[in-house]
Amino acid sequence: MNGTAVRAVLIALVLGCMLVTCTAGGGLYLWARQEGLNPVKAIQLRLSLARSDEALNTPAGSDPTTRRFTVNSGDSASTIAANLLADGLISDSGLFVDYVVYHRLDDELEAGTFFLQQTQTIPQIARALTDAASATIPFRTLEGWRLEEIAQVIDSNPLLDFSGADFLAVVGPGGTIPADFKARVGIPDTLSNGRSPSLEGFLYPGTYQLKPGITPEELRDEMLAEFDAHVTSEFYDDAAEGLTMYQVVTLASIVQKEAVDLDEAPVIASVYLNRFRLPMRLDADPTVQYALGNTRDASTWWPSITQADYYGLDGLPNQSYSTYLNEDLPPGPIAAPGLPAIRAVVQPAETQYYYFRRGCEDDNRHVFFTLDQQADHANFTCD
């Protein structure tokens, strides 16, 4: 092969290599391209993320506990990454920075308070940190809880900035009740036992998403707003024979504690309404439990009771709530009823029942009795 031919072959090889290189480089650029990033930087970051794909999508740990995390104004992506690493929320700060820079999230990371979990991946945490407004504190209360039980849940939630005692000071006896709400539901200025009213029974049970930094007053207002949202005007219109909503909720709180199976709630409500109208004492066991509270057993606010407890509450602060010792309704609600219990009072079953006992089957159902069956009720056994 002469010199001219050799040069031609070499030129062809060089051009071929250049073509392959350009083609491969162009494909690599297209694969890694990210608007706003230098092409070389984009390729570097994309290669880094591809090599670390498993680590990127593996949470830092298995603890599902929600943790408070704060981003301060002016914090850079590197600072945020270092703080996340220190809090055990990520396991690789450099990988976090690479991710947010490549996906152009570094300028979208917001200052604020966030609630994160160790079980979240880097992409999930990065996206969460771009929206401070969506950060919320999960909070849940259940039907049939009294104020002290809500306070206990507050004390068990490290994300709240106040204690259960702080909340009780706002919603308990002597706390400030919003005037419009007080007038609407008919809360009296002074209870029948001479004590100041509280919001027992009116803090609507449910699941809430609270904003960071919420105050006890704001939590009170959110729960009252939920009560108003669910207990609509039809409930006021249907309230039986002139009962105020305060009386409805008071009776519904008893029904809530008695009706384990809520399909029985309208019948149980009819029993208490029949006794109330006669009138005769309600003789409701939950009111005795409320009066006892945790004085017997510090681990529960709803202790088991015996017949000896019906008339053995002397000296207890809440003995006036016992419907075995006192005529009429108790001074106020004993717990927070759910909507089915409230509806059962305003739309009760039409019955001639005045008594009920728990049945013999292990299913929480009840057996009901008329006035003529009083002796059957008194002598009822499962033997």
Side-chain angles (χ1 to χ4, degrees):
M1 184 180 296
N2 59 34
T4 300
V6 170
R7 283 195 299 272
V9 170
L10 289 175
I11 290 172
L13 288 173
V14 170
L15 290 174
C17 289
M18 290 176 65
L19 178 61
V20 170
T21 300
C22 288
T23 301
L28 184 61
Y29 169 68
L30 291 174
W31 172 71
R33 183 176 59 183
Q34 186 65 283
E35 186 176 351
L37 280 183
N38 175 284
V40 175
K41 181 68 173 178
I43 291 172
Q44 291 174 338
L45 290 174
R46 189 68 180 88
L47 288 172
S48 172
L49 295 176
R51 287 194 301 267
S52 304
D53 183 69
E54 182 176 354
L56 192 68
N57 293 288
T58 300
S62 58
D63 183 1
T65 303
T66 301
R67 308 181 185 194
R68 182 191 297 267
F69 183 78
T70 301
V71 177
N72 297 310
S73 180
D75 281 355
S76 66
S78 296
T79 300
I80 294 170
N83 292 337
L84 288 168
L85 182 65
D87 285 356
L89 291 164
I90 61 173
S91 54
D92 189 331
S93 58
L95 186 57
F96 177 87
V97 173
D98 285 351
Y99 181 85
V100 298
V101 171
Y102 178 76
H103 288 282
R104 310 303 294 137
L105 299 177
D106 48 330
D107 292 331
E108 296 182 28
L109 299 174
E110 295 186 356
T113 300
F114 301 85
F115 301 99
L116 306 175
Q117 296 172 312
Q118 199 180 58
T119 52
Q120 291 175 289
T121 63
I122 283 178
Q124 290 172 331
I125 289 175
R127 299 288 176 180
L129 295 181
T130 64
D131 188 5
S134 68
T136 58
I137 303 170
F139 180 75
R140 186 186 182 200
T141 66
L142 298 181
E143 295 89 347
W145 278 6
R146 55 192 285 167
L147 291 179
E148 292 88 350
E149 291 174 286
I150 299 175
Q152 288 177 331
V153 170
I154 290 171
D155 283 333
S156 70
N157 191 329
L159 304 179
L160 293 171
D161 295 328
F162 55 88
S163 68
D166 295 332
F167 188 66
L168 288 177
V170 170
V171 301
T176 301
I177 301 175
D180 58 339
F181 185 86
K182 181 180 178 183
R184 183 162 56 254
V185 301
I187 298 176
D189 293 331
T190 304
L191 302 184
S192 60
N193 60 2
R195 298 177 63 186
S196 298
S198 73
L199 284 169
E200 185 81 87
F202 293 96
L203 301 178
Y204 196 80
T207 300
Y208 294 82
Q209 298 297 329
L210 308 179
K211 68 177 183 179
I214 191 171
T215 66
E217 291 81 5
E218 289 171 331
L219 177 55
R220 173 202 65 196
D221 292 346
E222 280 205 31
M223 299 183 82
L224 294 183
E226 281 298 298
F227 180 93
D228 283 336
H230 288 85
V231 183
T232 57
S233 59
E234 71 171 287
F235 286 86
Y236 291 82
D237 295 339
D238 292 344
E241 294 186 11
L243 291 179
T244 68
M245 186 53 63
Y246 187 74
Q247 292 172 312
V248 167
V249 173
T250 296
L251 187 51
S253 68
I254 298 174
V255 173
Q256 179 70 56
K257 298 303 294 184
E258 291 279 22
V260 179
D261 291 335
L262 284 174
D263 67 300
E264 287 191 330
V267 182
I268 292 175
S270 78
V271 171
Y272 287 127
L273 284 167
N274 288 342
R275 296 173 73 95
F276 177 70
R277 291 167 183 149
L278 197 57
M280 63 188 294
R281 288 183 178 175
L282 299 185
D283 288 354
D285 288 4
T287 63
V288 178
Q289 292 176 297
Y290 185 79
L292 280 169
N294 68 346
T295 59
R296 173 181 297 164
D297 181 355
S299 67
T300 179
W301 287 96
W302 302 100
S304 299
I305 60 173
T306 66
Q307 286 190 338
D309 295 315
Y310 294 161
Y311 307 101
L313 302 175
D314 290 346
L316 290 179
N318 287 327
Q319 72 177 55
S320 59
Y321 280 80
S322 170
T323 52
Y324 283 89
L325 294 175
N326 304 281
E327 304 285 350
D328 209 346
L329 294 171
I334 61 172
L339 202 62
I342 298 173
R343 182 178 287 111
V345 175
V346 300
Q347 298 174 354
E350 294 185 10
T351 77
Q352 295 299 314
Y353 296 137
Y354 285 78
Y355 309 94
F356 63 90
R357 297 285 292 269
R358 177 144 178 204
C360 297
E361 302 296 328
D362 188 22
D363 59 3
N364 298 312
R365 308 291 291 182
H366 293 86
V367 180
F368 297 88
F369 305 86
T370 66
L371 271 178
D372 295 338
Q373 296 171 316
Q374 181 180 4
D376 295 333
H377 168 258
N379 298 319
F380 180 82
T381 67
C382 292
D383 296 335

